[in-house]
Amino acid sequence: MRIFSGIQPSGEIHIGNYLGALKQWLQLQEKNECVFCIVDLHSITVPYQTSTFKKRILEKAITYLAVGLDPKKTIIFVQSQVPEHTELSWLLSTVTSIGDLLRMTQYKEKSKKYKKQINAGLLNYPILMAADILLYQTEAVPVGKDQAQHIELTREIGRRFNQKFGQTFKIPKTFLPKKGAKIMSLTEPEKKMSKTDSPQSCIFLFEKPKMIRKKIITAQTDSGKEIKYNPSSKPGISNLLTIYSIFSDIPIAKIEKEFKGKGYKIFKEKLAELLIEKLEPFRRKKKELENQQALLEKILEDGKKRAQIIASQTMKKVRKNMGLGKI
Ligand code: AQP
C-alpha cells in the first residue's frame, strides 16, 4: 500500500503526536511504500517565527529519524520543497465547497484561538492537506483522531474531482490507532494534547526526566482517589491510564487492579518512571543526530527527489484531465 502522512513543524513533538501518528508510521514502514512529510506550509497559517522556522523543520527531521523512521525504506521530505503540493491545492479548491471548509472543527478551534489573525490559509488548510494526500495516490493515511475529519473531506474532494474530470485519484482510507488516537492535555484533560498549547499540558518526546516527573505529578486529576478508567467522569486519570497502558503494553484493567487502593500519587510516580525509561532511547538518538546536519540535508534532498517523481506523474494526469497544460 502507498501510505502518506505528515506533521507540522509548529512546535515540539509530544507523546500525543507519537502515539497518534509516529508509532503507526513505524509499523507501516516495514511492509508498505511510505511517504512522510514535514508539512511546513500548513504551519504558516497561524503566527510563526520566520527566524527559527528552518531550525524547527530540521528538528522534525531529527524526530522522524530518532523514533526510528528509516530513509532507506521511506520517503522523508519537506512539503514546500515539492511545489506540486501548492499547485494541486489551487486546482482542488475549485471542487471544494466553502461550506465544507467552514464546518471543520480545526478551523473553528484555531479561528477562536487566533481571533485577530484569521487568514484564508487557515480556512483552506484542508484543501492543501487533500492535495498532500491525493498527490501521492495514497491508499491509507495514518493520523490521530483530530485529523480524521480532514481525511473525510479529502475523500470527498477526491471523489468530486474524479466525477467531474474522470478517474484521477485513488481515494484513501483513514488509519487510526486502536489506542492513543486522542491523547488529552495534562492540564485540561477535556482538550487534546497540542504542540501549540502551554508546555505544561504536554509531555514532549525529548522531555528531560526531571520535567517528565514534574509534569506527571502535577497533571490534573479528578476528585476521588480511585485509579479507574472512565473518560466522562474521570478524564484526567483515564488519560494517564491510557498513556500508561500504551507505553507499558499492559491492558488498562490490569493496571487498575495493580494500583487498587494505592492512590494517585503512587500511580503518577510509576507512570513518570515508565515514561522516563521509554523515552530515553529517543533522547539518546536525537543527541547523536543533532550534529549531523549534512546527513539530514542529504536525506531531505533524496526524499524530495523521490517524492517529486510521484508528484509530477500525478500532476501530468491532473492537468491533462482538467484541460490544462501545454498549448
Ligand atoms: N493529542 C493527540 N493525540 C493523538 N494524536 C494526535 N495528533 C495530534 N495531537 C494528538 C496527531 O499527530 C499528528 C500531527 O499533527 P499536526 O502536526 O499536523 O498537527 P495537529 O494535528 O494540529 O497536532 P497538534 O499537536 O495539536 O499541533 P498544533 O498545536 O500545531 O495544532 C496528526 O496525525 C495528528 O492527528
Side-chain angles (χ1 to χ4, degrees):
M1 262 198 307
R2 169 90 47 79
I3 309 284
F4 178 93
S5 196
I7 291 184
Q8 298 182 69
S10 47
E12 270 185 68
I13 302 277
H14 52 71
I15 56 170
N17 302 135
Y18 173 67
L19 299 177
L22 287 166
K23 194 162 178 262
Q24 297 201 82
W25 300 5
L26 288 176
Q27 287 156 3
L28 287 164
Q29 76 171 346
E30 297 307 325
K31 291 201 175 132
N32 299 282
E33 191 187 342
C34 294
V35 182
F36 296 129
C37 190
I38 297 164
V39 287
D40 53 344
L41 296 173
H42 285 281
S43 298
I44 61 173
T45 57
V46 294
Y48 73 104
Q49 271 207 322
T50 51
S51 58
T52 53
F53 201 49
K54 281 196 181 140
K55 189 168 159 260
R56 285 245 174 252
I57 294 171
L58 270 183
E59 278 167 14
K60 297 301 158 293
I62 291 178
T63 308
Y64 283 11
L65 300 177
V67 297
L69 288 182
D70 181 351
K72 287 198 196 89
K73 292 181 188 153
T74 74
I75 298 178
I76 298 175
F77 75 106
V78 180
Q79 181 190 33
S80 62
Q81 307 285 305
V82 178
E84 282 84 350
H85 287 250
T86 41
E87 183 187 356
L88 183 57
S89 175
W90 173 256
L91 300 178
L92 293 180
S93 74
T94 64
V95 294
T96 307
S97 89
I98 296 174
D100 279 343
L101 296 173
L102 285 168
R103 69 178 176 77
M104 292 294 111
T105 308
Q106 179 179 287
Y107 172 70
K108 289 184 194 159
E109 284 174 358
K110 293 221 163 155
S111 51
K112 247 189 247 161
K113 189 166 168 182
Y114 301 102
K115 258 189 207 120
K116 292 193 181 131
Q117 288 126 319
I118 307 172
N119 58 70
L122 193 61
L123 181 67
N124 293 335
Y125 182 114
I127 310 179
L128 179 59
M129 183 160 160
D132 299 338
I133 296 167
L134 298 174
L135 195 53
Y136 295 95
Q137 304 294 348
T138 302
E139 289 163 272
V141 192
V143 284
K145 205 168 170 186
D146 64 314
Q147 291 298 335
Q149 193 185 34
H150 286 164
I151 299 174
E152 260 322 301
L153 184 56
T154 295
R155 289 164 55 81
E156 183 54 32
I157 292 172
R159 278 193 294 257
R160 264 186 230 154
F161 190 100
N162 286 347
Q163 254 171 21
K164 198 166 171 187
F165 298 109
Q167 183 59 38
T168 311
F169 299 117
K170 285 207 173 133
I171 304 301
K173 288 195 200 91
T174 312
F175 253 33
L176 292 183
K178 287 200 183 77
K179 280 194 212 167
K182 192 174 184 185
I183 297 297
M184 310 308 277
S185 153
L186 296 182
T187 48
E188 294 170 86
E190 302 77 21
K191 273 175 53 183
K192 76 162 192 135
M193 188 177 280
S194 248
K195 283 187 229 97
T196 45
D197 271 352
S198 93
Q200 273 311 110
S201 66
C202 303
I203 298 283
F204 299 115
L205 212 56
F206 305 121
E207 191 91 64
K208 292 205 172 88
K210 198 171 146 200
M211 286 309 288
I212 296 181
R213 211 169 276 119
K214 189 169 167 213
K215 288 182 182 181
I216 294 292
I217 300 298
T218 55
Q220 170 84 41
T221 32
D222 324 281
S223 55
K225 293 190 268 196
E226 228 188 334
I227 317 288
K228 197 94 199 124
Y229 184 81
N230 187 335
S232 51
S233 66
K234 291 169 91 65
I237 207 72
S238 301
N239 188 38
L240 298 184
L241 271 165
T242 302
I243 297 171
Y244 196 115
S245 170
I246 307 177
F247 277 100
S248 64
D249 221 2
I250 301 174
I252 287 181
K254 212 168 161 197
I255 304 169
E256 287 174 340
K257 250 192 203 160
E258 189 186 331
F259 287 96
K260 198 166 184 220
K262 290 195 177 146
Y264 293 161
K265 190 163 177 276
I266 292 178
F267 171 67
K268 283 175 159 182
E269 276 164 4
K270 284 275 180 210
L271 174 59
E273 289 313 314
L274 175 71
L275 286 173
I276 290 167
E277 180 202 325
K278 296 287 177 182
L279 300 182
E280 199 274 333
F282 300 152
R283 284 194 300 275
R284 194 168 6 101
K285 192 83 187 108
K286 177 186 176 241
K287 253 201 184 138
E288 282 169 32
L289 289 160
E290 267 167 353
N291 300 321
Q292 303 194 41
Q293 172 106 4
L295 173 74
L296 294 171
E297 283 171 8
K298 183 170 182 322
I299 289 170
L300 293 177
E301 183 60 27
D302 284 353
K304 172 189 121 173
K305 285 185 188 145
R306 289 162 69 196
Q308 203 146 29
I309 292 171
I310 310 173
S312 65
Q313 280 166 358
T314 300
M315 282 315 295
K316 253 191 212 156
K317 201 166 165 187
V318 170
R319 290 187 207 107
K320 179 169 172 277
N321 291 358
M322 287 187 85
L324 300 164
K326 232 180 175 181
I327 304 291

Coordinates of all heavy atoms in Angstrom, one line a residue, residues 25 27 33 39 53 67 70 133 150 208-209 259:
W25 N 3.3 5.0 12.0 CA 4.2 5.1 10.8 C 5.3 4.0 10.9 O 5.7 3.4 9.9 CB 4.9 6.5 10.7 CG 3.9 7.6 10.6 CD1 2.6 7.6 10.7 CD2 4.3 9.0 10.5 NE1 2.1 8.9 10.6 CE2 3.1 9.8 10.4 CE3 5.5 9.6 10.3 CZ2 3.2 11.1 10.3 CZ3 5.6 11.0 10.1 CH2 4.4 11.7 10.1
Q27 N 5.4 1.1 12.3 CA 5.0 -0.2 11.9 C 4.7 -0.3 10.4 O 5.1 -1.3 9.8 CB 3.7 -0.6 12.7 CG 3.9 -0.9 14.1 CD 2.7 -0.7 15.0 OE1 1.6 -0.3 14.5 NE2 2.9 -0.8 16.3
E33 N 4.8 1.2 1.1 CA 5.6 2.2 0.4 C 5.2 3.6 1.1 O 4.0 4.0 0.9 CB 5.2 2.3 -1.1 CG 6.1 3.2 -1.9 CD 5.6 3.3 -3.3 OE1 4.8 2.5 -3.7 OE2 6.1 4.3 -3.9
V39 N 5.2 19.0 7.1 CA 4.2 19.9 6.4 C 4.4 21.4 6.8 O 3.5 21.9 7.5 CB 2.8 19.4 6.4 CG1 2.6 18.1 5.6 CG2 2.3 19.0 7.9
F53 N 12.2 29.2 11.8 CA 11.4 28.2 11.1 C 12.2 27.0 10.5 O 11.8 25.9 10.7 CB 10.6 28.9 10.1 CG 9.4 28.1 9.6 CD1 8.5 27.6 10.6 CD2 9.1 27.9 8.3 CE1 7.3 26.9 10.2 CE2 8.0 27.2 7.9 CZ 7.1 26.7 8.8
V67 N 12.9 8.5 16.2 CA 11.9 7.5 16.6 C 12.1 6.2 15.8 O 11.5 5.2 16.2 CB 10.5 8.0 16.5 CG1 10.2 9.1 17.4 CG2 10.1 8.3 15.1
D70 N 13.1 5.0 8.8 CA 14.3 4.6 8.1 C 14.2 5.2 6.6 O 13.4 4.8 5.8 CB 14.3 3.1 8.0 CG 15.6 2.6 7.3 OD1 16.3 3.4 6.7 OD2 15.8 1.4 7.3
I133 N -2.2 14.5 0.2 CA -2.5 13.1 0.2 C -2.8 12.6 -1.2 O -2.3 11.6 -1.6 CB -3.8 12.9 1.1 CG1 -3.4 13.3 2.6 CG2 -4.3 11.5 1.0 CD1 -4.6 13.4 3.5
H150 N -10.6 15.9 8.5 CA -9.9 16.4 7.3 C -9.7 15.3 6.2 O -9.8 15.5 5.0 CB -8.5 17.0 7.6 CG -8.6 18.3 8.3 ND1 -7.6 18.9 9.0 CD2 -9.7 19.2 8.4 CE1 -8.0 20.0 9.5 NE2 -9.2 20.2 9.2
K208 N 13.1 16.2 29.3 CA 14.1 15.7 30.3 C 13.4 15.0 31.5 O 12.3 15.4 31.9 CB 14.8 17.0 30.9 CG 15.7 17.6 29.9 CD 16.9 18.4 30.6 CE 17.9 18.9 29.6 NZ 17.6 20.2 29.0
P209 N 14.0 14.0 32.1 CA 13.4 13.2 33.1 C 12.8 14.1 34.3 O 11.7 13.8 34.7 CB 14.6 12.4 33.7 CG 15.4 12.2 32.5 CD 15.3 13.5 31.7
F259 N -3.1 -1.0 40.8 CA -3.0 0.2 41.7 C -4.2 0.4 42.6 O -4.4 1.4 43.1 CB -2.8 1.4 40.8 CG -1.4 1.5 40.2 CD1 -1.1 1.0 38.9 CD2 -0.4 2.0 40.9 CE1 0.1 1.0 38.4 CE2 0.9 2.1 40.4 CZ 1.2 1.6 39.2

